[in-house]
Amino acid sequence: MIEVKNISKNYRIFERDPGLKGAIKSLFHRKFQVKTAVHNVSFTIPKGEIIGYIGSNGAGKSTTIKMISGILTPDEGEITVNGIVPYKDRMENAKIIGAVFGQRTQLFWDIPVQESLQLLKHIYEIPEEQYQKNLAVFRDVLDLDPLLSIPVRQLSLGQKMRCELAAAFLHNPSVVYLDEPTIGLDASVKIKIRQFIKEMNKRYETTIILTTHDMQDIEELCHRVIILDKGIVIYDGSLLGLKQRTTFNRMIELEVEGDLDHFPLPASLQGSVEVERKDDQKLVLYFNTAQISVAVIMKAIMEAYPVVDFTVTEPSIESIVQEIYEREVKQCESTGTY
């Protein structure tokens, strides 16, 4: 479906000395700094997959999406989307893709939402039967009925985002690019949007690339993630594989009866388990299941502590991604490469 081979993108950033002297000097001698936004990125996305494309601010996520969607042309490399080169055949590419780019709107500002959708129907030449069928789905899953008669400029951010998603999926695109679709939204709207994305993917096998800083979006929607850092792919694999790459992929929170000072960590766990003390009666144990099992830890703990309660959980995706970033930074510092 989507083939990305060794793409790179550089930007020339204009530099000017401060003050009037710098302004006059720049008229005759312009200086530029070349910044690499994306470097040698490659991946393949099959039909019907939801991919989480994540990274810190300035990592190159939006630049990649703009190249895949045909807005930008890569300086190097090749991209094909469903057999189309998006930046060479923009008209054909526009027919098969949908997009939601953060705060940018594809709806018409001063007219009701329903009229905006009607205009998009004519732009994409959507048959009436298909239009009505899709609109019925959007009304149900996105709860659009109360919004259809309201001008877009009068909608709240959450309401507008629901309408933007309807517009992006209206023509049954093969691929949809979602760039921060839940940014700034409250929890109830985020739940609606996630349910809608799942429903569209299941119903039409729509391929979806999702960029977000909300790791709950990734947890809820994606089985595979691609992590970008300084324009380079540092991870491409399953969400499960990402969790297994962390130093500690499990946590046990313990509550004991009595003061923890009287219960030192069993010797059999030392070296395999990292301990964080919360208070006099609560501990958090961090460990990796590749080195030691939950059963072994709990056996040793139950023999050593009068346990009142315990829970076994996974670390948050945020902490895992942060650990991978920090690992990359340390590796760059040790090798002198950035």
Side-chain angles (χ1 to χ4, degrees), residues 41-57:
V41 167
S42 298
F43 54 81
T44 300
I45 301 176
K47 179 177 174 59
E49 195 163 30
I50 304 179
I51 297 292
Y53 198 61
I54 59 179
S56 58
N57 290 327

Side-chain angles (χ1 to χ4, degrees), residues 80-123:
T80 57
V81 179
N82 207 20
I84 297 169
V85 179
Y87 44 88
K88 290 183 178 178
D89 197 347
R90 288 186 168 92
M91 290 291 288
E92 285 301 311
N93 182 63
K95 294 176 183 177
I96 66 164
I97 70 168
V100 174
F101 288 124
Q103 308 301 319
R104 298 175 182 85
T105 183
Q106 59 194 309
L107 301 169
F108 299 87
W109 197 243
D110 291 313
I111 63 176
V113 172
Q114 189 155 13
E115 291 183 29
S116 280
L117 296 178
Q118 282 280 355
L119 283 169
L120 290 171
K121 170 197 167 187
H122 293 296
I123 290 170

